[in-house]
Amino acid sequence: NNKKMIDDKNLAEMNLDEVAEKIPKINSYLIHEHVFAKKIRDIFDRINANHILKNTAGLNRFWIQTGGTMDFLKEYSIKYSLEEEYDKLINLCENGTRKIVQILKPKFVLLFGNYAADTFSTRDYPRTFNKNETTFIKLTHPSNRDGGVEKTYRDLYYWIEENNDGYKYFLEG
């Protein structure tokens, strides 16, 4: 859960109170001091795009907060012979996530990490800039233990280099 992402327990409680069981009225990337928010701000600052964070929404492909890993949930499902239910839960969340993106029609979807990228197949969700459709950009997850923020920034920087018109459109928010 989000409490694992924040060192200060009081900040964690405040964060949870503001986002649990309701549509948040604040943008966690801008307001909160959890590790992921700081990393996102750092990356967007490096590409001179912090201003667009105010119009950004986060969405996880798996709707249950697990603290960054789903290993315990997978192990639990195996221990209690619930693999089929586990797979159904994953499919429900991933299908719902794709449906939410289709309904909202955002300009851009940043796919942080392989699991997010796999949820949006390149066949159905091409990784090319198109001003008239949602553009999907695959990036290393900022919390990746093998480079994290630096690799995420590099991935985004390379995308910008290859898609200058897309970057200008991205900056418009």
Side-chain angles (χ1 to χ4, degrees):
N1 70 38
N2 283 337
K3 290 182 185 182
K4 285 188 176 184
M5 293 190 269
I6 305 174
D7 295 330
D8 186 309
K9 187 177 181 198
N10 292 332
L11 284 175
E13 292 293 336
M14 183 176 69
N15 179 30
L16 192 58
D17 288 343
E18 290 175 347
V19 300
E21 299 180 19
K22 60 185 165 227
I23 297 173
K25 294 181 182 175
I26 49 89
N27 183 319
S28 183
Y29 298 139
L30 294 174
I31 304 299
H32 294 139
E33 294 300 317
H34 54 78
V35 175
F36 191 72
K38 289 178 182 179
K39 290 177 180 183
I40 294 297
R41 289 194 302 260
D42 179 28
I43 292 162
F44 276 65
D45 188 48
R46 291 183 193 198
I47 63 166
N48 298 313
N50 256 337
H51 65 283
I52 67 170
L53 283 176
K54 69 178 187 267
N55 295 323
T56 301
L59 178 64
N60 292 322
R61 71 171 184 93
F62 189 66
W63 303 340
I64 299 171
Q65 291 291 326
T66 59
T69 178
M70 294 186 342
D71 294 343
F72 85 92
L73 196 57
K74 180 71 172 174
E75 290 167 11
Y76 179 89
S77 71
I78 292 169
K79 181 177 179 179
Y80 294 101
S81 300
L82 299 169
E83 294 96 338
E84 188 176 329
E85 287 81 0
Y86 174 82
D87 291 340
K88 286 179 183 177
L89 180 59
I90 297 288
N91 288 331
L92 171 75
C93 293
E94 290 181 348
N95 289 333
T97 298
R98 286 189 290 270
K99 186 67 175 169
I100 290 168
V101 170
Q102 290 169 356
I103 291 168
L104 294 178
K105 295 179 178 48
K107 290 182 180 181
F108 292 90
V109 173
L110 304 181
L111 301 168
F112 291 115
N114 292 328
Y115 290 120
D118 291 346
T119 300
F120 293 88
S121 71
T122 55
R123 181 176 53 88
D124 296 327
Y125 305 92
R127 308 299 195 258
T128 54
F129 172 66
N130 183 337
K131 191 173 185 176
N132 299 315
E133 295 180 16
T134 299
T135 298
F136 294 84
I137 305 171
K138 181 184 185 288
L139 303 168
T140 301
H141 196 288
S143 296
N144 179 297
R145 289 180 181 89
D146 188 31
V149 169
E150 291 304 319
K151 284 189 174 182
T152 309
Y153 165 70
R154 188 186 66 223
D155 293 346
L156 194 51
Y157 180 82
Y158 288 147
W159 184 86
I160 290 167
E161 288 289 307
E162 294 174 9
N163 297 279
N164 195 35
D165 288 342
Y167 176 60
K168 291 174 187 173
Y169 189 60
F170 183 80
L171 289 177
E172 292 174 10

